[in-house]
């Protein structure tokens, strides 16, 4: 038997500046916003489990329950100038505050079972996870006040819902010879949610908020995936082979009271992959691989009703958005210097079809709408270098650098073809300070990036992390400070015939994560690998 409790909180606070010019119905509106944006994400989770290990069987049950809270907002000053032709319609300054919160109360049950069938090592395994969120409230609020402090505009949005998801898998590992293994399996995933969305606007005439009945929406959504897969791993002298194929049937059902928004979409796909490697004398390894993958949109990307990030920025989903399909190929050379040091060079190519991008358009005078589209397809060709080093017994270092050429080809009106030569780099340092203390210091560089509508500039940042084990390893405390020197600066520019937008964000202090975990009698579960629990099942679920 084991038990544990975890608590974590991530806080962020940034300077925010944005300038937008929109042209709608001959109204030209320029708004400059300046102020502070902030966030605080928390989770409080308890777990109780039982693990049984016999000669040929391993069984584990675990129950988890807790609360997660996501909150963000901004307090900004807006300077708005609007004109119709040469006539000035409005020239005023407003103060704005917007808030977003999403609170969930969750429970989760997890089961792991492994059966070692024979002395050859064949294994049958079963994994299952059921999560239920019986209460989830997503709330958005925007407020605009004039220079006299009187309310000028405002909204209140509510998305009240409950959801549950299930993962199940059955695997059979067949060790058909000492160096060869075949794996066969079936996986099932189901995600469902139901609820309603409602919003009210500020009415200046009656000086009160009024419900917008025409925007009310009840919804029910379900995504199910059935997957069959087979994979073979073998070694023939210096040559290693890993090849597999995955067949997937996906069914998305969405019933929503918004006109023409209900959908029932079925997809059947086959995803192959193969990886070959050759180990030459002296520790040199040459490898090549290919895979075909899919990246599906999340449910929040399908929701066809408007929500507010702030009063000047509306967002909407797209129920017809298609998944991205990705072809990836790579060729790699690795040189080992000893057990702890290696150097790897990898050339890679990636092609994405139906690239998903969030685009911004002028919607109303001064107001933009962010929507999701399949913008086109892209190609990425690059070279990556990786060095793994151990300068001292207490110091591990990993360095990565990549340079790549990215080309985007538009198939959507309002997006443009573009290309860029960009780069990324990172240096990760892990230090052991005694038996119970770990320190990590990372440096990261992110190169510029092009979008279907514009560009994001590059930046660099540093991360410092400390982990301390206490009370005979029952209590674990972690403190992570991202962007510790405040060098990260986000700059984004979007340009279209009816919109010119520039956004600048700089953190006011490091993005700080504090995590505390207390476990009782938890040594057993950490000895196992590959199961749902040991791979980190704390309310993660699928990325829906």
């Amino acid at each position: 038997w084991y038990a544990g409790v975890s608590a974590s909180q991530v806080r962020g606070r940034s300077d925010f500046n944005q300038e937008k010019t929109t042209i709608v119905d001959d109204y030209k509106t320029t708004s400059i916003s300046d102020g502070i944006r902030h966030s605080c994400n928390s989770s409080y989770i308890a777990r109780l489990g039982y693990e049984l290990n016999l000669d040929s069987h391993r069984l584990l049950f675990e129950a988890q329950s807790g609360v997660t809270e996501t909150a963000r907002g901004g307090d900004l000053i807006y300077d708005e100038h609007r004109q119709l032709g040469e006539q000035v319609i409005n020239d005023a300054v407003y103060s704005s505050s917007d808030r977003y919160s999403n609170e969930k109360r969750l429970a989760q049950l997890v089961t792991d079972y492994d059966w070692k069938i024979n002395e050859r090592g064949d294994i049958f395994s079963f994994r299952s996870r059921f999560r239920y969120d019986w209460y989830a409230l997503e709330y958005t609020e925007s407020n605009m006040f004039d220079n006299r402090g009187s309310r000028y505009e405002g909204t209140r949005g509510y998305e009240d819902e409950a959801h549950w998801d299930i993962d199940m898998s059955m695997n059979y590992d067949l060790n058909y010879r000492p160096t060869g293994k075949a794996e066969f399996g079936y996986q099932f995933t189901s995600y469902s949610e139901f609820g309603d969305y409602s919003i009210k606007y500020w009415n200046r005439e009656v000086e009160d908020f009024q419900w917008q009945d025409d925007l009310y929406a009840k919804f029910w959504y379900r995504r199910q995936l059935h997957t069959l897969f087979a994979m073979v791993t073998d070694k023939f002298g210096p040559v290693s082979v890993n090849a597999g194929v995955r067949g997937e049937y996906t069914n998305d059902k969405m019933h929503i009271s918004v006109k023409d928004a209900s959908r029932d979409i079925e997809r059947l796909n086959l995803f192959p992959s193969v990886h070959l490697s050759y180990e030459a004398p002296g520790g040199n390894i040459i490898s090549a691989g290919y895979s075909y993958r899919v990246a599906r949109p999340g449910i929040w990307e399908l929701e066809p009703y408007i929500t507010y990030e702030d009063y000047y920025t509306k967002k909407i989903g797209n129920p017809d958005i298609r998944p991205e399909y990705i072809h990836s190929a790579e060729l790699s050379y690795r040189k080992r210097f000893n057990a702890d040091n290696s150097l790897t060079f990898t050339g890679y190519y990636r092609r994405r079809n139906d690239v998903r991008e969030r685009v911004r358009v002028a919607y109303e005078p001064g107001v933009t709408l962010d929507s999701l589209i399949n913008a086109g397809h892209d190609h990425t060709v690059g070279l990556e270098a990786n060095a793994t080093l151990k300068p001292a017994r207490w110091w591990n270092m990993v360095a990565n650098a990549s340079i790549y050429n990215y080309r985007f080809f538009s198939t959507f009106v309002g997006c443009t073809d573009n290309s860029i030569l960009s780069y990324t780099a990172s240096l990760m340092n892990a230090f052991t300070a005694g038996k119970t203390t770990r320190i990590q210091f990372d440096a990261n560089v992110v190169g510029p990036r092009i979008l279907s509508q514009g560009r994001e500039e590059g930046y660099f940042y540093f991360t410092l992390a400390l982990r301390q084990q206490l009370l005979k390893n029952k209590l674990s405390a972690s403190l992570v400070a991202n962007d510790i020197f405040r060098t990260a600066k986000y700059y984004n520019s979007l340009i279209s015939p009816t919109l010119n937008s520039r956004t600048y964000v700089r953190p006011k202090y490091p993005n700080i994560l504090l995590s505390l975990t207390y476990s009782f009698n938890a040594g057993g579960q950490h000895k196992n690998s590959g199961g749902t629990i040991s791979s980190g099942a704390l309310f993660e679920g699928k990325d829906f």
Side-chain angles (χ1 to χ4, degrees):
W1 291 97
Y2 62 90
V5 60
S6 300
S8 70
Q9 191 173 92
V10 186
R11 288 184 174 270
R13 190 177 180 87
S14 300
D15 290 320
F16 180 88
N17 181 272
Q18 185 177 76
E19 179 179 343
K20 288 195 296 190
T21 299
T22 62
I23 301 175
V24 179
D25 297 332
D26 296 326
Y27 287 92
K28 182 178 180 180
T29 307
T30 298
S31 63
I32 300 175
S33 57
D34 187 77
I36 301 297
R37 298 203 69 86
H38 45 81
S39 63
C40 181
N41 301 326
S42 306
S43 66
Y44 309 94
I45 301 166
R47 67 180 188 270
L48 176 67
Y50 176 75
E51 184 175 13
L52 175 67
N53 283 284
L54 302 174
D55 291 339
S56 301
H57 301 272
R58 170 185 168 266
L59 180 64
L60 184 145
F61 294 102
E62 181 168 303
Q64 303 170 3
S65 186
V67 175
T68 65
E69 299 173 350
T70 301
R72 65 177 183 268
D75 297 295
L76 309 172
I77 299 297
Y78 281 89
D79 188 344
E80 181 186 285
H81 179 84
R82 181 176 302 166
Q83 61 186 61
L84 178 61
E86 299 298 324
Q87 180 185 2
V88 175
I89 303 298
N90 189 35
D91 196 353
V93 176
Y94 305 98
S95 60
S96 165
S97 66
D98 56 84
R99 297 293 183 267
Y100 169 90
S101 64
N102 191 354
E103 179 183 348
K104 297 179 181 180
R105 300 170 187 174
L106 318 99
Q108 180 167 276
L109 297 174
V110 181
T111 302
D112 284 4
Y113 172 68
D114 296 302
W115 173 27
K116 184 179 177 182
I117 299 174
N118 50 43
E119 294 300 321
R120 189 174 60 184
D122 294 353
I123 296 176
F124 171 80
S125 59
F126 173 81
R127 310 277 184 258
S128 70
R129 182 188 59 82
F130 173 78
R131 186 183 75 169
Y132 178 54
D133 310 348
W134 63 87
Y135 171 83
L137 178 62
E138 192 170 357
Y139 172 71
T140 57
E141 172 186 315
S142 68
N143 304 282
M144 292 282 286
F145 303 93
D146 61 24
N147 56 9
R148 296 171 299 178
S150 300
R151 181 179 291 278
Y152 181 70
E153 296 286 4
T155 63
R156 301 287 188 271
Y158 306 84
E159 188 173 341
D160 192 358
E161 61 191 29
H163 32 83
W164 59 94
D165 58 287
I166 303 169
D167 289 336
M168 299 180 65
S169 67
M170 293 182 290
N171 286 34
Y172 185 82
D173 293 351
L174 172 65
N175 295 287
Y176 59 86
R177 71 190 199 112
T179 60
K181 182 178 77 170
E183 183 179 354
F184 309 94
Y186 166 76
Q187 296 174 338
F188 169 72
T189 299
S190 179
Y191 175 90
S192 302
E193 73 172 43
F194 66 91
D196 59 9
Y197 170 77
S198 54
I199 191 169
K200 52 186 178 180
Y201 291 167
W202 177 256
N203 187 315
R204 291 190 211 132
E205 295 181 358
V206 300
E207 295 188 342
D208 198 5
F209 286 94
Q210 292 189 332
W211 292 106
Q212 304 300 301
D213 294 334
D214 58 324
L215 298 179
Y216 175 77
K218 292 182 68 69
F219 59 85
W220 174 80
Y221 175 85
R222 187 188 72 188
R223 169 174 290 172
Q224 289 191 337
L225 287 85
H226 298 268
T227 304
L228 289 171
F229 68 91
M231 185 169 63
V232 175
T233 303
D234 211 332
K235 187 172 183 180
F236 305 92
V239 178
S240 296
V241 180
N242 185 307
V245 63
R246 190 174 81 251
E248 289 190 355
Y249 167 76
T250 307
N251 184 209
D252 286 351
K253 287 182 179 289
M254 182 165 64
H255 298 287
I256 190 165
S257 58
V258 176
K259 182 180 179 181
D260 299 327
S262 295
R263 297 290 186 273
D264 188 352
I265 301 172
E266 296 180 277
R267 291 187 175 94
L268 185 62
N269 300 109
L270 201 63
F271 300 103
S273 65
V274 62
H275 186 272
L276 305 172
S277 66
Y278 172 77
E279 185 171 359
N284 299 326
I285 300 176
I286 301 173
S287 61
Y290 164 81
S291 66
Y292 180 47
R293 305 190 306 274
V294 62
R296 298 180 182 85
I299 180 175
W300 59 89
E301 296 175 318
L302 306 177
E303 296 170 338
Y305 43 80
I306 290 176
T307 60
Y308 282 73
E309 187 68 22
D310 55 52
Y311 184 76
Y312 284 105
T313 307
K314 299 183 180 183
K315 298 189 301 182
I316 191 170
N318 181 356
D320 294 313
I321 195 74
R322 297 184 300 275
E324 292 179 350
Y325 292 98
I326 308 162
H327 296 271
S328 297
E330 65 178 40
L331 179 65
S332 177
Y333 169 77
R334 182 182 183 189
K335 170 67 176 178
R336 289 179 179 173
F337 298 99
N338 52 47
D340 299 315
N341 301 291
S342 66
L343 181 63
T344 305
F345 294 96
T346 303
Y348 59 90
Y349 169 81
R350 184 180 70 171
R351 175 190 169 97
R352 291 189 301 169
N353 296 323
D354 287 332
V355 173
R356 294 199 318 274
E357 285 233 8
R358 188 164 290 280
V359 295
R360 176 167 290 180
V361 297
Y363 186 67
E364 297 171 347
V367 179
T368 56
L369 177 66
D370 293 351
S371 58
L372 196 69
I373 63 168
N374 293 110
H377 64 273
D378 64 15
H379 295 208
T380 305
V381 179
L383 178 65
E384 183 178 66
N386 170 276
T388 301
L389 306 171
K390 193 175 181 66
R393 185 176 61 180
W394 44 270
W395 180 10
N396 290 298
M397 180 189 298
V398 177
N400 287 287
S402 176
I403 183 169
Y404 60 91
N405 177 261
Y406 174 81
R407 296 182 62 86
F408 172 75
F409 303 90
S410 172
T411 57
F412 189 87
V413 176
C415 300
T416 57
D417 296 354
N418 212 336
S419 66
I420 192 173
L421 182 66
S422 191
Y423 52 85
T424 61
S426 65
L427 179 63
M428 295 171 281
N429 299 274
F431 306 97
T432 301
K435 294 182 178 180
T436 59
T437 305
R438 300 292 183 269
I439 301 171
Q440 185 166 325
F441 179 74
D442 300 342
N444 300 273
V445 178
V446 180
R449 177 172 172 254
I450 59 170
L451 307 171
S452 60
Q453 283 185 309
R455 176 184 175 98
E456 294 177 0
E457 299 301 327
Y459 58 94
F460 63 96
Y461 65 98
F462 302 87
T463 298
L464 179 64
L466 172 68
R467 180 178 180 180
Q468 181 67 50
Q469 302 290 122
L470 302 166
L471 302 178
K472 297 182 179 179
N473 294 333
K474 291 182 179 180
L475 177 64
S476 175
S478 299
L479 183 65
V480 181
N482 289 297
D483 189 30
I484 190 169
F485 300 127
R486 293 185 64 233
T487 56
K489 301 175 183 179
Y490 174 82
Y491 181 78
N492 169 282
S493 59
L494 299 176
I495 299 175
S496 74
T498 60
L499 171 66
N500 192 321
S501 172
R502 295 189 298 273
T503 304
Y504 176 82
V505 182
R506 184 184 181 185
K508 294 189 73 68
Y509 55 74
N511 187 270
I512 299 170
L513 166 65
L514 174 64
S515 179
L516 300 173
T517 302
Y518 181 80
S519 299
F520 172 75
N521 196 30
Q525 64 161 325
H526 296 300
K527 296 178 182 178
N528 302 289
S529 61
T532 306
I533 297 297
S534 54
S535 60
L538 285 178
F539 295 147
E540 288 182 355
K542 295 297 181 183
D543 185 18
F544 291 142

